[in-house]
Amino acid sequence: MSLVPDYLSPIETSGTEKTPPNPARTKMAFARVGYSLVEAIADLIDNSVDAKAGTVLVRFLYDKKGVQRIFIADDGKGMSEDVLSQAMQFGSTLPHRAKDLGQYGIGLKAASFSQCSTFSVVSNDGREISGRRWTNASFERDWLCEKLAESGCRQLLLAPWSGLKLNQKGTIVVWDDLTGLKSGQSTPEETVNRALGELSNHLGLVFHRYLSGEALKILLDVQFVGKRESPSSQEVKPLDPFSYAKSGAIGYPKKFEVELGEDTRVDLNAHIWPPRSNEPAYRLGGGKVASRQGFYFYRNDRLIQAGGWNGYRDDDAEPHLSLARIAVDLPQNIDVSIQKDKVETLPRGFIDAVRQAAVGSIRFPDFIKKAQEVYRTRGRATDGSDFPLVPGRGISKPLRDAARKITAPGESRVRTIDFRWANLDAGTVFEIDRQRRRIVLNELYRKSILAGKRRSENDAQLFKTMLFLLVQDYFDFQAMTKARLEYLEGCNQLLLRSLNE
């Protein structure tokens, strides 16, 4: 039984321009395309992005028996009566711009039928409101699509949608008679929570470039049948697979250039994650992290493939390469075949060109070896230059031991940063001596820092410890850039002001 509200009632049926030769078989083929729930919803959000939506809401409606309906609503430009009619036809496709995302997915109808037996679309382009619906009955009536009454469509658009003003412009896709989301032995609440977690991770990853700015907001919420709208919704956070705080290897990431003919160049941004990371951006939702190594293909800032070697290597999940990830932005003039969440075919010669790519004397295979080395040595350089940093002379041994347990737990070898007092310029409270691994404090302000306490080798321990935590990363930066020097100067000026007040 369909759970589309009574106010979404058909007023007539209209045939498609091209009726499939075997409607039942065609519908069954869509249901078996193998797309997961999260992949199908992501494909619909592609259409929302193309419609210039600022916000997309995914809502699960459930009761004591399970999830009964899913809404995907957006505040994009909407569709006119004619455009919606064409979008719902089988055998027809809407024109796409070069930067549209919808041209790379499976489309509105295929994505919907992979998850449900009945789906409706209601849209408002600011001038007219229209609605269409496919049901089992409409398939049996010579493959005819139902046209929905405008009054009912208007009521649906006027319903509360977590702040989306769909009465002005927007589109709602309604999935009923769900086939792709079953509770099984789980309670409805457990099913919904599991689906929300998987969806948040997947959408956060796929659209992380959009979500990290102001281009797009994706909301998730849950409603119980018969109850009013929940007062809050969950916002999907970006999950950037390259958002580590510090690279796993000095000199990375590196940009390798791949030439594919005279007018086509593809950049490979090769990254090495720091080893033993528990960051969500590394785990990417859990599961086997090794399967996330390899190429990350983007098109128009939308992530298409999250890991895999596409023939560069035979083993796509060899653990020693778990830290290797390569961001690849596919240009518009490159022809690729995309299936589900994977690039199936790349241009001829792409993999061979990757093997030959180089940055100076460093070739792409050298990057692979380096990523394996970092994994095997847990990121330790053979000369000990990247052993963990801990506070050294200048604070008491008990405090040094306590700090080591926190900053380098279980490590047998460390590097120490010592503290010393010296006469510095009056405008400086501290300096860092990278070569000798020292934090030098200005003797001129020693009395103010001690605040009446006695001078000693291990004095000002709180102040020294805070400085260590503030600047420890600066001892390992490959270069002291202008921005980093300006930051240290800013820290000095702030400390100087606090001492003078």
Side-chain angles (χ1 to χ4, degrees):
M1 176 182 176
S2 174
L3 288 173
V4 173
D6 292 338
Y7 50 76
L8 282 189
S9 56
I11 59 172
E12 61 183 58
T13 56
S14 55
T16 61
E17 292 181 358
K18 182 179 180 181
T19 301
N22 189 324
R25 184 173 298 174
T26 302
K27 178 170 176 285
M28 186 178 298
F30 280 131
R32 293 177 177 174
V33 294
Y35 276 71
S36 67
L37 175 72
V38 297
E39 290 165 346
I41 290 178
D43 264 15
L44 293 194
I45 294 178
D46 286 343
N47 297 332
S48 299
V49 173
D50 293 341
K52 308 299 182 184
T55 303
V56 179
L57 170 68
V58 181
R59 173 171 292 173
F60 289 76
L61 188 68
Y62 76 104
D63 60 17
K64 294 181 179 180
K65 295 181 180 179
V67 180
Q68 302 298 343
R69 174 182 294 150
I70 297 175
F71 299 95
I72 302 95
D74 71 63
D75 60 1
K77 63 183 180 180
M79 291 178 279
S80 66
E81 178 92 26
D82 291 341
V83 172
L84 176 57
S85 178
Q86 184 178 354
M88 294 290 277
Q89 292 173 9
F90 287 86
S92 68
T93 57
L94 296 174
H96 286 286
R97 298 162 298 181
K99 293 186 176 182
D100 281 351
L101 302 184
Q103 60 188 307
Y104 306 118
I106 58 174
L108 167 66
K109 299 173 287 290
S112 297
F113 278 133
S114 72
Q115 302 300 317
C116 68
S117 297
T118 299
F119 83 97
S120 310
V121 180
V122 173
S123 196
N124 176 13
D125 70 349
R127 295 182 299 273
E128 57 183 343
I129 293 173
S130 53
R132 295 289 189 277
R133 179 171 68 193
W134 281 111
T135 68
N136 285 328
S138 62
F139 284 115
E140 295 170 359
R141 291 197 300 272
D142 297 324
W143 204 256
L144 297 176
C145 184
E146 296 178 348
K147 181 177 180 180
L148 304 176
E150 181 181 344
S151 59
C153 295
R154 187 181 300 276
Q155 284 183 266
L156 185 63
L157 292 165
L158 287 172
W161 295 104
S162 289
L164 276 70
K165 298 179 180 179
L166 304 185
N167 60 317
Q168 298 177 3
K169 283 186 180 181
T171 299
I172 305 172
V173 178
V174 187
W175 287 351
D176 281 289
D177 305 326
L178 300 173
T179 58
L181 184 62
K182 301 294 184 182
S183 296
Q185 300 299 316
S186 303
T187 66
E189 289 80 5
E190 291 172 339
T191 301
V192 168
N193 290 334
R194 182 174 63 250
L196 286 178
E198 293 173 354
L199 190 59
S200 182
N201 284 328
H202 185 78
L203 298 182
L205 175 60
V206 167
F207 296 103
H208 74 86
R209 290 184 176 179
Y210 288 88
L211 297 171
S212 61
E214 298 181 357
L216 180 67
K217 180 188 293 185
I218 300 177
L219 304 177
L220 310 176
D221 75 11
V222 177
Q223 302 294 322
F224 193 83
V225 174
K227 290 188 177 181
R228 293 184 177 182
E229 183 190 42
S230 173
S232 62
S233 54
Q234 169 189 339
E235 183 174 348
V236 175
K237 301 300 181 183
L239 193 58
D240 184 350
F242 302 97
S243 60
Y244 45 78
K246 181 180 177 182
S247 176
I250 295 175
Y252 285 89
K254 292 185 182 295
K255 181 185 290 186
F256 295 88
E257 296 181 358
V258 173
E259 300 291 341
L260 296 174
E262 296 182 359
D263 302 324
T264 304
R265 189 190 79 178
V266 180
D267 292 334
L268 311 180
N269 290 288
H271 297 251
I272 299 177
W273 263 83
R276 300 177 297 170
S277 176
N278 287 317
E279 291 293 322
Y282 178 64
R283 311 277 326 163
L284 296 179
K288 190 176 181 180
V289 177
S291 66
R292 294 297 196 175
Q293 64 183 267
F295 296 117
Y296 284 66
F297 288 107
Y298 295 82
R299 201 148 205 183
N300 298 335
D301 284 334
R302 200 268 204 200
L303 182 60
I304 298 170
Q305 175 179 308
W309 290 105
N310 298 79
Y312 179 84
R313 293 174 53 85
D314 292 333
D315 188 352
D316 271 9
E318 190 265 319
H320 288 172
L321 270 179
S322 297
L323 307 178
R325 293 179 180 177
I326 307 99
V328 186
D329 283 273
L330 298 171
Q332 295 295 329
N333 62 342
I334 191 171
D335 186 24
V336 297
S337 174
I338 299 169
Q339 295 292 331
K340 296 180 64 177
D341 59 347
K342 188 175 180 64
V343 176
E344 288 288 333
T345 58
L346 289 161
R348 182 177 299 177
F350 179 84
I351 295 300
D352 289 336
V354 170
R355 292 191 174 99
Q356 300 302 317
V359 180
S361 61
I362 306 298
R363 298 171 58 247
F364 190 82
D366 296 326
F367 153 70
I368 297 296
K369 292 179 182 177
K370 185 63 177 179
Q372 290 174 322
E373 174 191 321
V374 173
Y375 182 92
R376 288 172 177 143
T377 62
R378 298 196 302 173
R380 297 289 181 263
T382 55
D383 60 359
S385 61
D386 58 354
F387 290 149
L389 292 164
V390 298
R393 287 178 297 177
I395 62 175
S396 67
K397 187 178 185 306
L399 184 56
R400 292 202 304 267
D401 292 342
R404 180 167 179 167
K405 289 180 180 179
I406 294 173
T407 59
E411 298 291 345
S412 59
R413 302 182 66 182
V414 296
R415 292 174 295 155
T416 59
I417 294 178
D418 297 331
F419 302 89
R420 67 183 296 265
W421 294 94
N423 292 317
L424 303 176
D425 182 83
T428 302
V429 178
F430 74 94
E431 289 181 347
I432 63 172
D433 184 341
R434 282 156 51 95
Q435 185 175 358
R436 296 181 177 87
R437 287 205 309 270
R438 291 177 178 172
I439 297 176
V440 183
L441 295 88
N442 196 342
E443 183 73 38
L444 183 64
Y445 300 110
R446 191 171 189 175
K447 183 176 180 180
S448 298
I449 293 172
L450 292 178
K453 293 185 178 180
R454 184 173 59 85
R455 296 185 180 200
S456 70
E457 180 183 358
N458 298 330
D459 58 12
Q461 294 196 112
L462 175 61
F463 192 81
K464 291 174 179 176
T465 302
M466 295 300 291
L467 277 180
F468 167 79
L469 295 173
L470 179 68
V471 302
Q472 60 175 317
D473 288 342
Y474 279 71
F475 287 88
D476 281 337
F477 285 140
Q478 189 172 13
M480 289 300 289
T481 63
K482 181 181 177 181
R484 289 166 182 164
L485 291 172
E486 288 177 347
Y487 176 75
L488 290 177
E489 176 62 21
C491 291
N492 264 292
Q493 294 305 312
L494 185 59
L495 290 172
L496 188 62
R497 180 172 178 175
S498 68
L499 290 172
N500 289 332
E501 286 193 357

